[in-house]
Amino acid sequence: MTNTTPRAASNKASAHPVRNHWRNFGIIAHIDAGKTTLSERILFKTGEIHRTGEVHEGNATMDTMALEKERGITIGAAATRCVWNGHEFTLIDTPGHIDFAIEVERSLRVLDGAITVLSGVAGVQPQTETVWHQAEKHGVPMIIFVNKMDQTGADFARVTEQVRKHLGARPVPLAIPVGAGDEFTGVIDVLQQRFLQWDAKGNMMVLALPAELQAQAQAAYAYAASVAAEASDALTDAYLANDTLTHAEILQGLRSLTLARKATPMLAGSAYKNAGIEPLLDAVIDWLPAPDDRAAPVATLNGESVTVATGDADPLAALVFKVTHDEHGSLAFVRIYGGSLHEGETIWNASLDSSVRIGRLYVVHADERTSTTQSGAGSIIAIANLKDALTGQTLSGKSQPWTLETIHAGEPVVALAVEPGSGTDRAKMLAALDKFRREDPSLRLENNVETGETILWGMGELHLDVVLERARREAAVDIRVGAPHVAYKETMGLPMVEAEGKLDKQNGGKGMYARVVVRLELLDEGDFAFANVVKGGVIPTAFFPAVEKGVQQAMQQGPLGQKVTGVKVTLLDGDFHAVDSNEMAFIIAAKEAVLTGLRKANPVLLEPVMKVTVDAPAINTGDVIGDLQKRSGRVLGITENTGRVEVIADVPLTKLFGHTNDLRSLSQGRAFASAVYARHAACDVNEASFV
């Protein structure tokens, strides 16, 4: 880690930083690990703000929404810019609650690196695993910051072992805490073999290592050297020749391994006490990638995969990853992978196949904006009032309209029937909810034709509660809600069946004819697969897309009225008529074939099951377990630690409504829980409650 001196407050981020001195990174974690507090300290240490706000006081810089300030949680990912030791940072603070997982997903999609924050007390928690695997999916290199080392029960060694066991990572401790709880006194800077302390005002002091810490520091240095030696043959040879590596060689080796996700630098401190922030900022520079360190993205152009060129002068390739609305209009957040954007120019929205004009460009600092005239490759920028912008769209040039991989939202699992308090407010309610749907791809708004109800789908109770409260406030509309429902699915009860679908309609003149034979099989993984083994021209190839379309339509609503999952459909045989066969006939026949097969396969109803983790005082263990069992929960594990207990259980989502309030009541407000979607599992159709 480099020698650190806080920058001058006037050293503001520029619109066009030097590319290898640029870091786009996010902060991800389980709820309550201290992400927003850490973001606040980073802004303070870099001179971007001159007084730190606190989450519990509702004045944290990165929590800009009124509901975030009131509830003390992060709801929407917030971006900012700052500078440290000549390097410019774009930082995105993400939510920790599973209900807002789309904010983490779309942030990781466009970021180059991430800091994973762990509580020194709680360690690796369920949502930690979720966001870690989200980052792995996108190939995002990470460093770990073990926070809250000043709290009772913090244990750096235990958390390090959890990182190995639960995350499958290879942690390399580089800032090791000395003491914990009230005895936390500072950290060992492993690579520079020095002791770092912070006074009551958060000022860092660099001290010589006390004699009693030297053996621990030397052992940690030796381990870091042994890991770094694996990065290349040259470093391996140097290590074997000298039985160690120099500081510079370790920096080189660990950077290479971190970017390849083969090692994870690990640091510690207390964000609340301003301790450990400077080494962490140095670690962002040393270990996390610049834009050019990441592989160039792959796009689709004319049906073929092509690699995007990532220079400022190259053709434009940019991804809209978030859209927000306020009283000034919309703001589209964009990651530019190649080319550049200029204020006032006309570009191409490749996802909509239409031209759009760039209005104002902004560098965003939480809820503040700084206007800029252009922005180049590698940057994250905001565009005001970009026409028809939605998450996941690609911006390009008309002459090279390639499309980047879009951003995928998880399927919503909870729904509420909503209606306006007054009939005259219906249009206002629908307009408000549609605005949030355009902002948030994990929301779904639909109309139940049978009941006439408006149904709002989301990722959980908190997610829907926040959306509806925002709609009430921002649109000044009263919204009433019905009882919550969950997203059921269905699958086959038999491993394999075959079925036929046939349409033979003659009403005078040209008729409709198609015959389709399919095999349905259970899939080990995935929701749906389609295969075609038809030979001999029994069905013309021109009708194959129609058959697949009919199959997909059948999968949307099976015999039990739910979306079908875990089924592979194979086209085996069929028949056609030279005059009467057409695409519509084959769509109808294929749909009938699949539905017939599903009915023959003894369909099974599936309900969402959540992995619930309850953290409670040990004295409440029996009450917590009893409450989970009352909700048809299956306890998977119980862990005790310093007067508290962590209970992990699988619980059907239908039984979790009201759990938070009941848990608060039985523990006098001292217990809390988190729930992460685990899977869909078979349930009794007679106990289901459908929307």
Side-chain angles (χ1 to χ4, degrees):
M1 290 176 287
T2 53
N3 197 1
T4 299
T5 53
R7 73 174 180 88
S10 60
N11 187 17
K12 294 293 183 182
S14 68
H16 315 290
V18 179
R19 288 167 69 93
N20 65 346
H21 283 188
W22 196 344
R23 301 291 184 269
N24 296 316
F25 68 96
I27 299 181
I28 60 176
H30 186 95
I31 191 171
D32 202 36
K35 298 177 309 305
T36 301
T37 300
L38 177 60
S39 298
E40 197 76 6
R41 271 42 179 193
I42 288 175
L43 294 179
F44 177 70
K45 291 288 187 178
T46 57
E48 197 65 36
I49 61 176
H50 304 291
R51 181 179 180 277
T52 58
E54 305 297 346
V55 174
H56 60 274
E57 294 177 1
N59 59 359
T61 305
M62 301 295 277
D63 284 344
T64 61
M65 199 183 302
L67 282 175
E68 291 178 319
K69 297 176 183 297
E70 293 171 14
R71 300 187 181 210
I73 60 171
T74 300
I75 294 170
T80 190
R81 290 266 191 104
C82 56
V83 177
W84 181 253
N85 279 354
H87 288 69
E88 303 206 24
F89 296 165
T90 299
L91 181 158
I92 295 183
D93 177 32
T94 66
H97 200 287
I98 186 62
D99 283 21
F100 309 112
I102 182 59
E103 297 288 339
V104 181
E105 175 69 17
R106 56 187 173 189
S107 297
L108 289 172
R109 175 71 171 77
V110 299
L111 291 171
D112 298 318
I115 299 172
T116 299
V117 183
L118 304 178
S119 163
V121 179
V124 175
Q125 297 172 275
Q127 182 65 356
T128 311
E129 297 183 45
T130 300
V131 296
W132 184 272
H133 294 312
Q134 281 178 282
E136 281 186 324
K137 179 180 69 174
H138 294 295
V140 176
M142 286 184 285
I143 57 181
I144 290 174
F145 182 71
V146 182
N147 193 23
K148 302 188 177 184
M149 287 306 305
D150 60 316
Q151 293 192 4
T152 302
D155 187 332
F156 184 77
R158 172 172 52 81
V159 175
T160 303
E161 184 56 35
Q162 289 178 346
V163 168
R164 290 193 183 94
K165 181 179 179 181
H166 299 306
L167 301 182
R170 189 182 191 186
V172 182
L174 297 174
I176 301 175
V178 177
D182 292 339
E183 297 180 356
F184 171 64
T185 58
V187 302
I188 298 170
D189 180 346
V190 171
L191 297 190
Q192 298 204 59
Q193 294 287 287
R194 59 186 187 174
F195 184 43
L196 306 179
Q197 283 190 321
W198 288 265
D199 62 21
K201 295 182 178 180
N203 298 311
M204 189 178 80
M205 299 171 287
V206 180
L207 307 172
L209 274 173
E212 65 272 17
L213 297 180
Q214 290 180 3
Q216 182 184 8
Q218 290 166 4
Y221 186 96
Y223 177 71
S226 69
V227 173
E230 300 175 14
S232 69
D233 290 343
L235 289 175
T236 300
D237 292 342
Y239 181 78
L240 293 175
N242 303 300
D243 199 30
T244 189
L245 293 176
T246 65
H247 181 191
E249 289 170 333
I250 295 176
L251 282 173
Q252 175 191 343
L254 284 185
R255 179 173 181 79
S256 176
L257 292 173
T258 301
L259 298 189
R261 294 185 55 85
K262 295 180 180 179
T264 307
M266 194 164 174
L267 301 94
S270 167
Y272 185 67
K273 295 288 184 66
N274 285 290
I277 311 303
E278 294 92 341
L280 180 63
L281 291 169
D282 290 341
V284 169
I285 294 172
D286 290 339
W287 319 119
L288 293 186
D292 288 345
D293 292 322
R294 297 296 306 280
V298 174
T300 301
L301 181 63
N302 299 324
E304 297 184 0
S305 295
V306 294
T307 300
V308 171
T310 57
D312 288 351
D314 289 316
L316 177 65
L319 185 72
V320 178
F321 69 94
K322 181 171 180 171
V323 178
T324 63
H325 297 81
D326 60 21
E327 64 273 16
H328 303 295
S330 68
L331 203 62
F333 290 81
V334 174
R335 167 66 190 259
I336 306 174
Y337 289 99
S340 56
L341 288 173
H342 300 264
E343 185 178 271
E345 72 174 329
T346 298
I347 60 170
W348 195 252
N349 185 325
S351 303
L352 297 179
D353 201 26
S354 64
S355 62
V356 289
R357 184 179 181 277
I358 300 296
R360 302 294 297 274
L361 291 174
Y362 292 106
V363 174
V364 176
H365 172 58
D367 59 348
E368 298 179 1
R369 308 174 188 178
T370 302
S371 182
T372 184
T373 58
Q374 63 179 350
S375 191
S379 63
I380 292 175
I381 201 76
I383 307 173
N385 299 316
L386 185 66
K387 183 182 178 183
D388 298 327
L390 290 174
T391 294
Q393 292 176 344
T394 299
L395 306 180
S396 68
K398 187 175 182 179
S399 62
Q400 196 149 2
W402 45 23
T403 56
L404 297 160
E405 181 185 357
T406 190
I407 295 173
H408 301 284
E411 285 194 38
V413 295
V414 180
L416 292 171
V418 296
E419 62 179 23
S422 167
T424 58
D425 283 342
R426 182 169 183 78
K428 288 173 61 179
M429 180 192 78
L430 292 177
L433 295 179
D434 186 63
K435 181 187 77 170
F436 294 127
R437 180 195 60 79
R438 285 182 281 119
E439 289 185 358
D440 184 350
S442 62
L443 280 174
R444 193 170 79 223
L445 191 63
E446 61 186 39
N447 182 57
N448 188 313
V449 178
E450 295 180 0
T451 65
E453 293 176 310
T454 299
I455 308 298
L456 181 66
W457 286 90
M459 303 305 291
E461 283 186 282
L462 179 61
H463 186 206
L464 294 178
D465 181 44
V466 165
V467 169
L468 292 172
E469 183 59 28
R470 286 188 63 192
R472 292 183 183 106
R473 295 184 184 197
E474 296 174 24
V477 59
D478 180 30
I479 300 177
R480 297 183 300 202
V481 301
H485 301 267
V486 304
Y488 292 93
K489 295 182 181 182
E490 60 179 277
T491 192
M492 295 166 49
L494 299 178
M496 184 176 70
V497 296
E498 291 186 6
E500 176 187 270
K502 185 175 181 180
L503 178 66
D504 188 358
K505 186 179 293 185
Q506 297 293 333
N507 294 324
K510 188 175 181 181
M512 294 270 284
Y513 180 84
R515 175 176 167 268
V516 172
V517 180
V518 296
R519 180 174 63 235
L520 280 64
E521 303 169 84
L522 281 173
L523 274 177
D524 291 332
E525 293 184 6
D527 290 334
F528 166 69
F530 177 74
N532 179 4
V533 296
V534 167
K535 296 180 180 179
V538 294
I539 298 177
T541 56
F543 294 135
F544 288 167
V547 172
E548 185 170 1
K549 185 174 182 179
V551 170
Q552 291 175 337
Q553 287 182 2
M555 300 293 286
Q556 293 305 307
Q557 187 174 35
L560 301 179
Q562 308 304 311
K563 184 176 180 179
V564 180
T565 188
V567 174
K568 178 182 179 181
V569 179
T570 302
L571 176 61
L572 299 177
D573 197 4
D575 193 13
F576 76 103
H577 188 278
V579 176
D580 293 342
S581 290
N582 55 37
E583 288 187 1
M584 182 55 65
F586 273 98
I587 290 173
I588 295 171
K591 184 175 181 179
E592 179 188 327
V594 173
L595 291 175
T596 299
L598 290 171
R599 284 190 288 268
K600 288 172 60 177
N602 300 336
V604 175
L605 187 69
L606 305 175
E607 67 178 345
V609 175
M610 311 297 284
K611 183 180 180 182
V612 178
T613 301
V614 179
D615 185 302
I619 194 173
N620 297 123
T621 302
D623 294 330
V624 168
I625 293 174
D627 182 68
L628 291 171
Q629 291 175 337
K630 181 182 70 175
R631 299 173 185 277
S632 303
R634 182 170 64 92
V635 175
L636 304 176
I638 303 172
T639 304
E640 292 190 32
N641 179 41
T642 60
R644 294 187 70 83
V645 65
E646 182 182 83
V647 181
I648 300 176
D650 277 350
V651 185
L653 178 57
T654 53
K655 303 295 180 69
L656 274 179
F657 298 118
H659 178 237
T660 300
N661 289 335
D662 290 350
L663 184 63
R664 187 179 297 118
S665 176
L666 67 85
S667 67
Q668 292 78 50
R670 298 168 63 203
F672 57 89
S674 63
V676 178
Y677 171 77
R679 65 191 181 282
H680 271 70
C683 68
D684 187 344
V685 68
N686 296 315
E687 294 183 1
S689 174
F690 300 124
V691 173

